[in-house]
Amino acid sequence: MSSMNKYWIPHLDIHKKVITQELQYYLGPQATVRPFTREGEDGFLITTPGPCLSDEQIDDICIKSKEMWEKQAAARATATPDKPLKRPLHQPVVIAQASSGGTEPSKRRRDDRRDDRRDDRRDGRKGDRRDDRRWGEQRSRRDDRSWSNERRRD
C-alpha cells in the first residue's frame, strides 16, 4: 500500500454530508474524510494517496453545501408545526422558567425552613426534622445491607 497524505481544511461553508459524498469522486476510492479539530478550530481531515482538493473542487463543495442547507431550510419552513412528534415520549416539559425577580428561590427556601421550625414547635421537638429523616434512611440502608449479608451466608 502506498503512503497516504493527510490534509486539514476548515469546516467553514462545508456541509459534512456533501464533503463525504463528493470526496471520493474528486480524489479516488481510497480517499477518506472525518471531522477533525486542529488548534481549536473545527474542520475535516482528508486522507488521500495523492494531492488534496484543488480550489475549484473546494468551491464546488461549498456551492453544493449551500444548496443542501437551503434545501433543508425550505423543508423546515414547509413542515407543519402541529405535526405529531416522532417520539412523543421525548416532548420537552418545562421544569422551571427564569423569573424576573431573581430572589424567588431563596425566599421559597426561607419559607420552607420557617414551616419546618413551626412544625417542630407544635410537636414539642427541637432540632431539624431533616436530620431525623436522614438518620432513618441511613439506618434502614444499614439494616438492608445486614439482611442481604445474612442471605448470602445461607
Side-chain angles (χ1 to χ4, degrees), residues 3-54:
S3 63
M4 301 291 270
N5 300 314
K6 292 185 178 186
Y7 304 94
W8 178 86
I9 60 171
H11 80 288
L12 214 60
D13 297 330
I14 297 176
H15 194 287
K16 182 180 175 183
K17 273 188 178 180
V18 173
I19 194 167
T20 303
Q21 291 172 348
E22 299 292 318
L23 187 75
Q24 292 185 340
Y25 171 76
Y26 292 124
L27 302 180
Q30 291 181 328
T32 61
V33 62
R34 67 180 182 94
F36 189 81
T37 301
R38 179 179 163 263
E39 297 176 4
E41 188 176 358
D42 292 334
F44 299 99
L45 182 67
I46 297 171
T47 306
T48 178
C52 194
L53 296 166
S54 67

Side-chain angles (χ1 to χ4, degrees), residues 61-89:
I61 289 172
C62 289
I63 290 168
K64 289 180 180 180
S65 295
K66 185 177 178 186
E67 291 170 359
M68 171 80 81
W69 281 313
E70 288 172 353
K71 190 169 122 180
Q72 289 174 343
R76 278 193 302 271
T78 60
T80 57
D82 296 333
K83 181 174 126 182
L85 293 173
K86 289 181 182 177
R87 300 174 191 262
L89 295 176

Side-chain angles (χ1 to χ4, degrees), residues 73 135 143:
W135 184 83
D143 293 343

Side-chain angles (χ1 to χ4, degrees), residues 99-142:
S99 63
S100 58
T103 60
E104 196 62 32
S106 62
K107 181 178 183 271
R108 194 175 308 128
R109 272 189 239 115
R110 192 170 42 243
D111 291 343
D112 288 346
R113 288 185 198 133
R114 285 184 193 144
D115 291 342
D116 283 346
R117 283 189 222 124
R118 193 175 309 127
D119 290 343
D120 289 343
R121 276 187 241 126
R122 282 187 197 146
D123 294 340
R125 293 174 29 184
K126 291 183 180 175
D128 192 359
R129 289 181 144 213
R130 287 175 284 187
D131 290 337
D132 293 340
R133 281 187 232 130
R134 277 192 223 117
W135 184 83
E137 289 172 10
Q138 289 172 352
R139 192 174 119 212
S140 65
R141 274 190 246 134
R142 187 178 59 231

